[in-house]
C-alpha cells in the first residue's frame, strides 16, 4: 500500500510538467492514439479563458466552457457552446495547414480531442508521449491538466497512471502555433509555420520500475569499449539487476543499479563490425530489467576530427551531402517511415553519404531510417537567424530542445554532428548563448562533433570564415550563395575563401531557385538552366576551399515558405530544391550527382 501511495504522490507531483523523456518508444509496449481526432478552431481562446480572461485551468472548479472538460449539456436548458464530438475531424499526426484548406495560413489556437478506453492493470503505469507538437501545447486528460510544452520539433511525455480509467477517457490538447520574438525559432523563418500535432501520439505502458533511458555507444576515443548507462524510473533497491546483451558481440553484461537509479558501464567488445555508409551494421541490443525486455538496433562507430580532417572509424571521409526540410509529398509536415524513405532514397540517388536535417530535429523515423540506410546525419536545433540571445527563457527553451533531441537520438550511429544554430548574427550575447549550448551538449554526449552554420564576410575580395564561435566548434560550416544573393557566377573560379581555423570545413548551404520545367538561357534567373550553371560554377569554386570536408547544397526538395511570393514561379515555395515539390528532378540534380560520383571515386 505504501508503495502505491508513493507512486500516486510521484504521479500527482509530476502533473503539470513534462517528465523525464522516455527513450526508444518504438520498441516499447505501446498503444497508438494516431488516427482521427476531433478539432475546434479557437482564434479567441474561448475554451481557455473566461470573458474576463480568467484562465479556466487555473480555476478551482473550471467552468463548463473550458474545452478541456469535453463537456456535453446535461439537459435541454443547459448552455454549452462547443461540442468536440460534433466538430470537424482531422488526421493525427499531421499539421492543420496542409489538411484543412481554410487553415493554410492559420496561426493561432486549435483544440484537439481523442477519446479512448484503457484497462490499466494493477502495478502498471501509463504515459502519454507526443513525438512533437508545433508550437505550444496545453495537454489535459479527463479534464486534468498534464502540462504545457513549448518547442515544435522535440518529444515530451506525461504520466497518466492516476488519471486514466477503463472507459471513456478524453485526451484534449490545445495547440498554439502563434510566433513570438522570444520563441525558438523566433518570428522570422524561411519555412512554413505548420501548426498541430505533427508527430505520433502514443500511450506507453510500463512496470512500476522500468527502463526510462539508456546510452549504449562506443566510448570516446576507444573503438573496442562500449560504454554508457541504463537509467531506471522509480528505482526500487530490491530490483537492481540490469543486463545488457549484444549476442553477435558475445556481450552479456550484468550490472547493479545504484541508489540514483543509474548503472554506468564499460563493456570491452572485440570484432565489432563498425557502422558506416558502406556497412550500416546495426546490432540487436537487449536490455533486461525486472522482467522488462527492451530491444533496440544500435550501430557502433567512431567519429572524430584530426586537424582539418573528419575521421569515421579512423578513416578520413568526405561528406557528400544535401540539406533537407521535413516535408511530405502533400506539402505538409513529414512524419512517417514512408516519408523518410522517399526523401532519403532521393539523397542516396544523388550520391549522398550524409544529410543535413534542417533546421530542427526531424521525426524519429527519419533518423532511424538513416541508421538503416547508412546516411550520416547533421541534426540541428532551430536557433535560427535572430532568436533573442539576451533572453534567459529563450536560452532555456533552446537548451531544453537540445536535451530532448540528444536524449531521443543519442543511440543513433547515423548522427555524427549536433548543430547549435543557423546563420545567427554575431554578437557577444549570441557567442555566449551558443558557447553555453556547446558546453551543455558535451555534458550529454561527448562523442559527436559539434557545429553550426555560420555566415561569412568579405575581406579584400576573399570570403572569410572567421566567426568567433568557430573556436568552440569541431567543424566550421558556412552558408554562401554565390550567384543567387550576389556575386558573379562568371568569376566563380576566381572567388576564394579562407579561414583562420585549422578545422574541417563544410559548405552547409549553397544553391539557387529554379521553377521545374521553366527553361531559358543560363543567365535567366528562375530557369533550370540558371540553377544548373550556378551549380557548375559554385562547384568549381568550392573545390578550392581550404580544409573542405563536405557540403550539403540547399536543398533536396522545393519547400513551402511564406517569404517566397513571386507569382507563377514561387507561389509560396522556396524553389532551391534539386527536385520540385512534385518530384521532378531539375537539371542541377544531375550536375550534383555527377560531382558526387567523381568525388566518391577519389
Ligand atoms: C538561408 C537559410 C535557409 C534559407 C536559404 C534561402 O541560408 O539558412 O533556411 O531557406 O538561405 O534563402 O533559400
Amino acid at each position: 500500500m505504501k508503495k502505491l501511495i508513493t507512486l500516486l504522490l510521484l504521479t500527482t507531483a509530476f502533473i503539470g510538467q513534462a517528465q523525464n523523456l522516455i527513450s526508444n518508444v518504438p520498441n516499447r509496449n505501446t498503444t497508438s492514439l494516431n488516427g482521427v481526432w476531433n478539432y475546434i478552431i479557437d482564434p479567441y481562446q474561448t475554451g481557455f479563458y473566461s470573458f474576463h480572461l480568467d484562465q479556466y485551468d487555473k480555476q478551482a472548479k473550471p467552468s463548463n466552457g473550458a474545452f478541456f472538460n469535453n463537456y456535453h449539456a446535461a439537459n435541454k436548458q443547459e448552455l454549452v457552446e462547443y461540442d468536440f464530438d460534433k466538430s470537424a475531424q482531422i488526421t493525427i499526426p499531421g499539421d492543420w495547414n496542409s489538411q484543412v484548406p481554410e487553415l493554410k495560413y492559420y496561426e493561432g489556437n486549435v483544440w484537439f480531442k481523442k477519446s479512448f478506453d484503457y484497462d490499466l492493470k494493477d502495478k502498471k503505469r501509463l504515459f502519454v508521449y507526443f513525438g512533437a507538437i508545433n508550437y505550444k501545447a496545453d495537454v489535459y486528460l479527463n479534464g486534468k491538466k498534464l502540462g504545457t510544452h513549448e518547442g515544435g520539433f522535440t518529444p515530451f511525455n506525461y504520466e497518466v497512471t492516476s488519471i486514466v480509467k477503463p472507459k471513456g477517457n478524453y485526451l484534449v490538447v490545445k495547440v498554439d502555433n502563434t510566433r513570438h520574438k522570444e520563441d525558438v525559432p523566433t518570428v522570422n523563418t524561411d519555412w512554413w509555420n505548420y501548426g498541430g500535432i505533427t508527430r505520433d501520439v502514443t500511450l506507453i505502458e510500463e512496470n512500476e520500475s522500468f527502463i526510462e533511458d539508456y546510452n549504449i555507444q562506443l566510448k570516446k576515443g576507444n573503438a573496442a569499449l562500449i560504454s554508457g548507462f541504463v537509467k531506471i524510473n522509480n528505482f526500487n533497491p530490491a530490483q537492481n539487476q540490469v543486463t545488457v546483451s549484444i549476442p553477435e558481440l558475445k556481450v552479456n553484461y550484468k550490472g547493479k543499479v545504484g541508489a540514483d537509479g543509474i548503472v554506468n558501464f564499460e563493456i570491452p567488445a572485440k570484432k565489432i563490425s563498425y557502422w558506416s555508409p558502406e556497412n550500416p551494421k546495426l546490432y540487436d541490443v537487449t536490455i533486461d530489467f525486472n522482467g522488462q525486455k527492451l530491444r533496440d538496433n544500435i550501430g557502433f562507430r567512431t567519429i572524430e576530427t584530426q586537424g582539418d580532417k573528419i575521421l569515421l572509424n579512423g578513416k578520413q571521409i568526405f561528406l557528400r551531402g544535401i540539406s533537407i526540410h521535413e516535408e511530405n509529398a502533400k506539402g505538409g509536415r513529414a512524419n512517417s517511415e514512408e516519408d523518410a524513405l522517399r526523401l532519403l532514397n532521393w539523397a542516396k540517388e544523388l550520391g549522398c553519404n550524409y544529410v543535413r536535417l534542417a533546421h530542427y530535429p526531424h521525426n524519429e523515423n527519419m533518423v532511424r531510417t538513416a541508421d538503416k540506410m547508412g546516411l550520416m546525419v547533421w541534426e540541428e536545433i532551430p536557433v535560427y537567424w535572430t532568436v533573442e540571445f539576451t533572453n534567459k527563457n529563450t536560452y532555456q527553451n533552446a537548451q531544453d530542445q537540445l536535451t530532448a533531441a540528444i536524449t531521443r537520438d543519442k543511440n543513433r550511429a547515423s548522427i555524427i554532428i549536433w548543430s547549435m544554430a543557423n546563420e545567427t548574427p554575431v554578437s557577444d550575447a549570441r557567442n555566449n548563448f551558443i558557447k553555453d549550448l556547446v558546453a551543455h551538449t558535451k555534458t550529454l554526449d561527448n562523442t559527436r562533433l559539434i557545429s553550426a552554420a555560420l555566415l561569412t564576410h568579405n575581406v579584400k575580395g576573399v570570403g572569410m570564415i572567421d566567426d568567433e564561435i568557430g573556436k568552440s566548434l569541431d567543424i566550421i560550416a558556412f552558408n554562401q550563395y554565390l550567384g543567387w544573393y550576389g556575386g558573379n557566377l562568371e568569376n566563380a573560379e576566381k572567388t576564394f575563401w579562407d579561414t583562420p581555423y585549422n578545422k574541417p570545413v563544410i559548405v552547409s548551404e549553397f544553391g539557387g531557385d529554379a521553377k521545374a520545367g521553366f527553361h531559358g538561357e543560363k543567365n535567366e534567373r528562375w530557369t533550370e538552366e540558371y540553377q544548373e550553371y550556378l551549380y557548375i560554377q559554385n562547384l568549381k569554386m568550392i573545390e578550392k576551399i581550404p580544409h573542405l570536408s563536405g557540403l550539403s547544397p540547399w536543398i533536396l526538395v522545393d519547400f513551402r515558405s511564406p517569404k517566397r511570393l513571386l507569382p507563377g514561379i514561387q507561389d509560396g515555395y522556396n524553389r532551391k530544391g534539386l527536385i520540385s515539390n512534385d518530384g521532378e528532378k531539375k537539371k542541377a540534380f544531375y550536375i550534383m550527382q555527377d560531382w558526387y560520383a567523381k568525388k566518391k571515386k577519389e
Side-chain angles (χ1 to χ4, degrees):
M1 189 54 185
K2 187 167 158 295
K3 205 187 305 175
L4 190 63
I5 292 167
T6 324
L7 196 55
L8 280 179
L9 287 174
L10 189 84
T11 316
T12 342
F14 274 119
I15 290 179
Q17 52 181 323
Q19 288 154 336
N20 293 349
L21 193 60
I22 296 172
S23 62
N24 187 8
V25 172
N27 290 300
R28 289 179 183 269
N29 175 14
T30 60
T31 303
S32 175
L33 292 183
N34 291 352
V36 173
W37 290 46
N38 295 91
Y39 72 93
I40 298 172
I41 305 168
D42 185 8
Y44 279 57
Q45 302 192 71
T46 306
F48 194 62
Y49 296 108
S50 72
F51 70 124
H52 280 173
L53 292 182
D54 299 318
Q55 187 171 321
Y56 285 135
D57 65 16
K58 292 192 186 313
Q59 292 174 337
K61 190 183 174 323
S63 122
N64 292 342
F67 286 8
F68 51 81
N69 281 329
N70 185 32
Y71 194 70
H72 296 82
N75 54 54
K76 289 205 173 81
Q77 284 70 43
E78 195 166 26
L79 171 64
V80 179
E81 298 181 87
Y82 74 97
D83 184 329
F84 272 115
D85 298 325
K86 291 186 183 141
S87 297
Q89 296 184 325
I90 193 169
T91 301
I92 298 299
D95 62 274
W96 62 62
N97 316 74
S98 63
Q99 292 191 76
V100 183
E102 60 266 35
L103 294 181
K104 176 176 175 184
Y105 284 95
Y106 181 68
E107 294 185 298
N109 285 269
V110 178
W111 293 81
F112 298 87
K113 190 272 293 183
K114 181 75 176 180
S115 298
F116 65 94
D117 299 337
Y118 199 96
D119 185 9
L120 185 64
K121 300 287 183 240
D122 190 24
K123 299 185 181 309
K124 293 291 185 185
R125 296 168 69 185
L126 195 68
F127 297 80
V128 62
Y129 176 94
F130 296 91
I133 292 183
N134 189 51
Y135 172 82
K136 180 178 179 183
D138 288 284
V139 184
Y140 308 82
L141 179 66
N142 300 338
K144 290 206 176 37
K145 180 143 201 185
L146 303 184
T148 300
H149 180 269
E150 278 198 40
F153 305 97
T154 45
F156 58 102
N157 46 245
Y158 299 107
E159 180 158 13
V160 295
T161 308
S162 63
I163 308 171
V164 72
K165 48 192 186 185
K167 296 278 181 207
N169 297 285
Y170 49 95
L171 178 63
V172 175
V173 182
K174 171 180 171 288
V175 180
D176 182 356
N177 75 332
T178 309
R179 288 166 290 121
H180 306 98
K181 278 190 318 98
E182 66 275 16
D183 290 350
V184 179
T186 184
V187 292
N188 191 21
T189 64
D190 190 18
W191 71 78
W192 209 267
N193 179 29
Y194 291 108
I197 304 174
T198 50
R199 295 179 189 165
D200 297 340
V201 184
T202 309
L203 294 172
I204 309 170
E205 183 178 301
E206 295 290 357
N207 296 328
E208 285 179 324
S209 295
F210 68 93
I211 303 160
E212 176 187 287
D213 189 17
Y214 56 90
N215 187 35
I216 302 173
Q217 290 279 283
L218 287 178
K219 186 175 174 69
K220 185 176 178 65
N222 188 333
L225 199 57
I226 293 172
S227 82
F229 66 83
V230 172
K231 184 179 174 196
I232 301 303
N233 182 295
N234 188 32
F235 172 62
N236 164 1
Q239 302 136 352
N240 64 356
Q241 289 287 343
V242 163
T243 305
V244 176
S245 50
I246 313 173
E248 268 194 273
L249 291 177
K250 297 188 178 36
V251 165
N252 192 34
Y253 166 83
K254 292 186 183 313
K256 279 194 183 358
V257 182
D260 59 357
I262 292 172
V263 53
N264 293 296
F265 50 76
E266 293 192 346
I267 312 169
K270 297 189 186 61
K271 298 201 182 74
I272 296 173
S273 173
Y274 294 106
W275 184 95
S276 72
E278 299 71 29
N279 172 46
K281 170 68 181 170
L282 300 177
Y283 283 92
D284 288 338
V285 177
T286 302
I287 305 169
D288 285 281
F289 167 74
N290 183 26
Q292 176 185 11
K293 268 190 186 312
L294 185 54
R295 289 183 173 77
D296 204 348
N297 304 99
I298 298 180
F300 299 103
R301 53 102 189 94
T302 63
I303 188 75
E304 59 199 317
T305 61
Q306 210 169 64
D308 65 351
K309 293 175 180 41
I310 301 174
L311 307 182
L312 176 73
N313 302 321
K315 243 176 76 195
Q316 185 180 3
I317 51 162
F318 186 89
L319 302 179
R320 305 188 310 272
I322 190 74
S323 294
I324 299 177
H325 258 305
E326 188 185 57
E327 273 194 0
N328 60 26
K330 300 185 283 295
R333 273 282 168 247
N335 175 63
S336 65
E337 187 176 2
E338 181 200 354
D339 293 334
L341 285 166
R342 172 177 169 270
L343 293 167
L344 298 180
N345 279 324
W346 272 334
K348 279 275 188 179
E349 193 181 340
L350 187 61
C352 297
N353 62 0
Y354 160 74
V355 288
R356 177 182 179 218
L357 300 187
H359 286 289
Y360 36 75
H362 287 212
N363 63 81
E364 192 166 2
N365 284 311
M366 198 65 169
V367 292
R368 284 184 177 269
T369 304
D371 253 18
K372 292 176 200 154
M373 292 177 67
L375 282 163
M376 293 175 281
V377 170
W378 160 304
E379 182 161 314
E380 184 165 295
I381 53 169
V383 175
Y384 181 90
W385 289 353
T386 55
V387 300
E388 286 199 333
F389 295 107
T390 55
N391 183 323
K392 292 259 169 287
N393 295 333
T394 303
Y395 175 79
Q396 190 57 51
N397 183 340
Q399 183 176 291
D400 291 347
Q401 293 188 40
L402 184 58
T403 301
I406 294 174
T407 303
R408 188 194 75 181
D409 293 340
K410 61 187 172 299
N411 292 305
R412 305 280 75 79
S414 53
I415 297 173
I416 58 166
I417 298 168
W418 300 119
S419 168
M420 305 293 108
N422 180 74
E423 293 194 349
T424 50
V426 178
S427 72
D428 289 347
R430 167 272 207 171
N431 292 350
N432 294 330
F433 190 102
I434 292 181
K435 282 176 196 163
D436 289 349
L437 287 175
V438 170
H440 180 69
T441 302
K442 290 179 175 170
T443 65
L444 299 173
D445 170 21
N446 68 355
T447 66
R448 290 176 174 84
L449 305 177
I450 295 174
S451 191
L454 306 174
L455 291 168
T456 64
H457 60 123
N458 197 300
V459 176
K460 299 195 188 88
V462 175
M464 190 53 77
I465 317 140
D466 58 1
D467 191 313
E468 155 84 12
I469 55 164
K471 291 188 185 105
S472 312
L473 304 176
D474 297 308
I475 291 181
I476 305 297
F478 73 101
N479 299 346
Q480 66 82 28
Y481 279 91
L482 176 83
W484 191 259
Y485 293 121
N488 179 327
L489 284 176
E490 277 64 44
N491 300 339
E493 288 179 270
K494 295 187 216 94
T495 305
F496 298 99
W497 297 88
D498 200 1
T499 178
Y501 298 113
N502 179 32
K503 295 183 177 180
V505 168
I506 291 180
V507 181
S508 34
E509 289 182 31
F510 75 92
D513 288 60
K515 165 91 169 154
F518 178 38
H519 295 286
E521 294 306 311
K522 69 181 182 184
N523 63 353
E524 183 176 1
R525 194 181 282 264
W526 308 109
T527 62
E528 286 197 40
E529 285 71 20
Y530 187 100
Q531 187 190 43
E532 179 187 43
Y533 182 57
L534 182 145
Y535 267 72
I536 291 167
Q537 293 301 97
N538 268 272
L539 289 166
K540 286 178 192 166
M541 170 188 75
I542 287 169
E543 277 167 349
K544 298 199 202 79
I545 293 176
H547 316 307
L548 185 71
S549 291
L551 55 154
S552 48
W554 192 261
I555 186 168
L556 182 66
V557 188
D558 292 353
F559 61 95
R560 280 193 196 280
S561 167
K563 297 168 75 72
R564 307 302 177 173
L565 306 171
L566 185 61
I569 295 283
Q570 293 177 313
D571 298 319
Y573 273 88
N574 181 311
R575 297 284 182 202
K576 294 188 181 68
L578 292 174
I579 302 173
S580 78
N581 52 299
D582 294 325
E584 302 151 274
K585 295 187 180 72
K586 304 171 192 175
K587 293 175 86 168
F589 178 93
Y590 303 100
I591 299 299
M592 199 66 246
Q593 189 183 50
D594 286 349
W595 198 88
Y596 279 158
K598 289 192 191 86
K599 197 70 189 169
K600 190 177 177 183
K601 289 194 188 107
E602 278 179 7

